[in-house]
Structure formats: C-alpha cells, structure tokens
C-alpha cells in the first residue's frame, strides 16, 4: 500500500510538473494561433495580399516595364506570353495585358471592398435595430428583408445597372445596397442573444441610451462574426462585379476590370487564349481565396473546436 501511494504521489507530482500554468489565451490570441497553423488559410491570405499589393503598385510596375494600359499598338496586337516588352502579351488593340490586369485589379478589388464595407454597415445597423427592439420593428424589418431576398439578385443588379450609369461609384452603391440582407439576419440573431446578457442589463440599469448599448456594447461583441461575414462578402461581390462587367452591365471599356477583360477576350480566345485564361484565373483564384479565408476564420473563432 505504501509503494502504491508513493507511485500515485509520483505520478501526481509529474503531472503537476507537466501542466501549463500560463495564463489562458483570449479569443483573439487563440484565433491567431489557429490561423497560423492552418496552411490553406495562410496560403489564401498570402495570395490575396500579393494580388492587392501588385494592384496597388500597378503604376510602378507599368513604369518598370515601360508599358501603359491605354497605349495601342495595332502592329503588335495578339502578342503571346513572354513577348519582348510585354511579359503577358497584348490584346486585340495591342495594349499591354499585364498593365491592364494590374489596373483592372485595382478597380475590381476596390469596388468589392467598398461595396462590402457599405453592405456591412447597412446590415449591422438594420440587424442590431431589429434584434434589440424586437416586436413590430423586428417584424417589419424581417418582412422587408424576406421580400427583397425573394427577388433574384442578379436580375435586380442587371435592371438597376441598365438604368444607371455604370461608373465605379454607382456600382459600389448598387452592390452595397443589394447585398446587406444576409448580414442583417446574422446580426439580428446575435443581437437577440447578446441583449439579455448581464453587461447589457447593467448598462441599461445605469441609464445608458439605446444607441449606446447597441453600438458600444452589443456590436463590439460580434466583431469576430462580422470579420468572417466580410470575407465571404468580398468573394461574393468580386464575383458579382465580374459577372455584371462580363455581361456588359458593369464597368465598360476603356476602363479595365477583370470582368470586362474576360468578356472582351472571348471573341479572340482561339487566337490569343491568354486574353481569356488570365483574367478568368485571377477572378477564380481571388474568389476561392476569400471563401477559403472565411472558412478558416470561422474555424479559428469557433470556441467548440479544441486546439
């Protein structure tokens, strides 16, 4: 019995020595650690950063190769990949394809980011009002959201784009105003749960206004959820902008976007396949990376998943 007690004490002592008495990680620290260990998510982040950096540096890169996205050279049109002075060839008008892809990335990524921020702002504001007040306010908002989502979104986008001038600013407004309903539903359900927690009840007891409670107590407690939603929104909006430009209802030439470059290259696909392949590859890769990032962030912030 003594030997057994000694062995149990030794095991307990060894177990205590192996325990990690470091302070517990916060939600954000745990999420960052999970993201660093998630190779697909890290690959998506690196790819998106590279695309964004190349698009921002479009003027510098164009100057380095001494090319311009608007300069036409009909004697050198349909140049293949790795042609002299044109690393990614030229289009049907002899314009450099590399510079047009880089400047097109500025427009496509910029429109998607601005529209996603606008959509997120509208969705958060409407959703937190519906979830916090409930009752008739919630019923009316949900009725409006359900009615709006019952109409095919692509049909609405095409209809409004046909009526309005398809400038980048107009397209941001169209995409942002028509894509907030999913965020509203998400925020509404979270606001319903958060408004009954102790810190919200305490804030209400000390006389905090409803607006202060909603935007300084409830919304900050769903930041991680909103970041995940933003990443999915960016992928969807890039796809929507590219689809509109592809069918001719988005940004039109001579301004380049990945969507209208893909559309313009279809007529010359056999003669110059890079005019179709490269913009299509950029759209596909960017959308896939945003969805992969959103999925990785969802797993990183999920408290039910153990490290």
């Amino acid at each position: 019995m003594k030997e057994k007690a000694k062995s149990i004490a030794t095991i307990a002592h060894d177990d205590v020595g192996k325990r990690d008495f470091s302070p517990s990680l916060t939600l954000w620290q745990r999420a960052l650690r999970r993201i660093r260990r998630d190779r697909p998510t890290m690959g998506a982040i690196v790819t998106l950063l590279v695309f964004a950096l190349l698009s921002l540096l479009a003027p510098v890169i164009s100057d380095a190769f001494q090319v311009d996205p608007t300069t036409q050279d009909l004697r050198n049109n349909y140049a293949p990949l790795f042609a002299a002075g044109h690393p990614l060839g030229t289009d049907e008008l002899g314009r450099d394809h590399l510079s047009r892809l880089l400047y097109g990335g500025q427009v496509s990524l910029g429109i998607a980011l601005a529209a996603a921020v606008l959509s997120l702002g509208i969705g958060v504001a409407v959703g937190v009002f519906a979830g916090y007040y409930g009752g008739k306010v919630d019923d009316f908002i949900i009725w409006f959201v359900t009615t709006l989502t019952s109409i095919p979104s692509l049909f609405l986008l095409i209809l409004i784009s046909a009526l309005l001038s398809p400038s980048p600013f107009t397209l941001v407004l169209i995409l942002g105003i028509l894509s907030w309903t999913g965020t509203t539903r998400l925020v509404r359900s979270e606001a319903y749960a958060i408004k009954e927690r102790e810190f919200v009840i305490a804030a209400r007891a000390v006389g905090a206004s409803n607006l202060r409670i909603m935007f300084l107590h409830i919304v900050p407690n769903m930041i991680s959820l909103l970041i995940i939603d933003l990443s999915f929104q960016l992928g969807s909006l890039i796809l929507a902008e590219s689809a509109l430009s592809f069918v001719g209802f988005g940004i039109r030439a001579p301004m380049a976007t990945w969507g209208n470059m893909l559309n313009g290259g279809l007529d010359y696909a056999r003669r110059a396949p890079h005019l179709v392949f490269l913009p299509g590859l950029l759209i596909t890769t960017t959308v896939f990376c945003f969805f992969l990032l959103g999925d990785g962030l969802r797993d990183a912030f999920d408290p039910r998943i153990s490290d």
Side-chain angles (χ1 to χ4, degrees):
M1 290 295 292
K2 290 183 178 180
E3 292 179 358
K4 186 176 181 181
K6 286 182 179 179
S7 63
I8 293 174
T10 303
I11 294 172
H13 180 269
D14 293 341
D15 183 60
V16 170
K18 293 178 181 178
R19 287 181 186 174
D20 184 12
F21 287 98
S22 59
S24 59
L25 298 175
T26 65
L27 175 66
W28 290 90
Q29 291 172 334
R30 187 179 298 109
L32 289 174
R33 186 174 68 175
R34 289 176 178 174
I35 290 171
R36 286 196 297 266
R37 294 176 179 176
D38 189 348
R39 291 185 178 180
T41 302
M42 288 301 300
I45 292 173
V46 171
T47 303
L48 292 172
L49 287 176
V50 169
F51 284 178
L53 185 62
L54 289 175
S55 298
L56 289 174
L57 295 177
V60 177
I61 297 173
S62 297
D63 291 341
F65 286 99
Q66 297 181 347
V67 292
D68 185 84
T70 59
T71 301
Q72 301 180 11
D73 184 6
L74 296 177
R75 295 172 299 178
N76 194 28
N77 58 351
Y78 304 113
L81 299 177
F82 310 112
H86 302 284
L88 296 183
T90 59
D91 63 7
E92 71 278 5
L93 298 177
R95 296 172 295 189
D96 181 73
H97 202 51
L98 172 62
S99 60
R100 284 179 61 77
L101 285 172
L102 294 177
Y103 279 97
Q106 283 187 348
V107 178
S108 294
L109 294 175
I111 288 175
L113 180 60
V117 172
L118 176 61
S119 170
L120 192 71
I122 297 173
V124 169
V126 177
V128 75
F129 267 91
Y132 183 78
Y133 285 107
K136 294 182 179 179
V137 174
D138 180 51
D139 292 340
F140 174 78
I141 290 174
I142 293 303
W143 168 81
F144 182 78
V145 168
T146 304
T147 303
L148 188 61
T149 53
S150 66
I151 305 173
S153 57
L154 184 59
F155 172 76
L156 275 178
L157 286 171
I158 293 176
L159 178 63
I160 297 176
S161 298
L163 295 175
L164 300 176
S165 176
S167 65
F169 178 75
T170 304
L171 199 55
V172 167
L173 292 179
I174 294 172
L175 292 173
I177 291 173
L178 293 180
S179 59
W180 53 270
T181 54
T183 303
T184 294
R185 291 181 181 272
L186 194 66
V187 172
R188 168 185 171 268
S189 62
E190 285 295 308
Y192 258 117
I194 296 175
K195 72 176 183 178
E196 301 300 333
R197 293 185 182 176
E198 290 80 2
F199 64 89
V200 175
I201 297 173
R204 192 181 295 115
V206 297
S209 64
N210 290 330
L211 286 177
R212 183 179 181 86
I213 292 173
M214 284 187 288
F215 293 101
L216 293 183
H217 294 278
I218 295 179
V219 172
N221 279 277
M222 56 178 79
I223 292 297
S224 59
L225 190 70
L226 297 178
I227 293 174
I228 297 170
D229 182 63
L230 180 63
S231 63
F232 284 115
Q233 283 267 31
L234 284 167
S236 299
L237 288 171
I238 286 179
L239 199 59
E241 184 278 325
S242 299
L244 280 178
S245 297
F246 178 77
V247 298
F249 290 99
I251 305 300
R252 296 171 184 169
M255 182 179 291
T257 70
W258 291 341
N260 65 24
M261 290 180 68
L262 181 62
N263 182 29
L266 282 178
D267 295 333
Y268 317 101
R270 292 187 177 182
R271 186 171 182 179
H274 63 278
L275 298 181
V276 176
F277 174 75
L278 292 178
L281 179 64
L282 287 173
I283 294 170
T284 303
T285 304
T286 304
V287 173
F288 176 73
C289 285
F290 273 121
F291 286 154
L292 192 63
L293 175 61
D295 188 64
L297 289 173
R298 182 171 54 193
D299 291 340
F301 284 106
D302 192 344
R304 296 170 296 179
I305 298 178
S306 59
D307 293 330

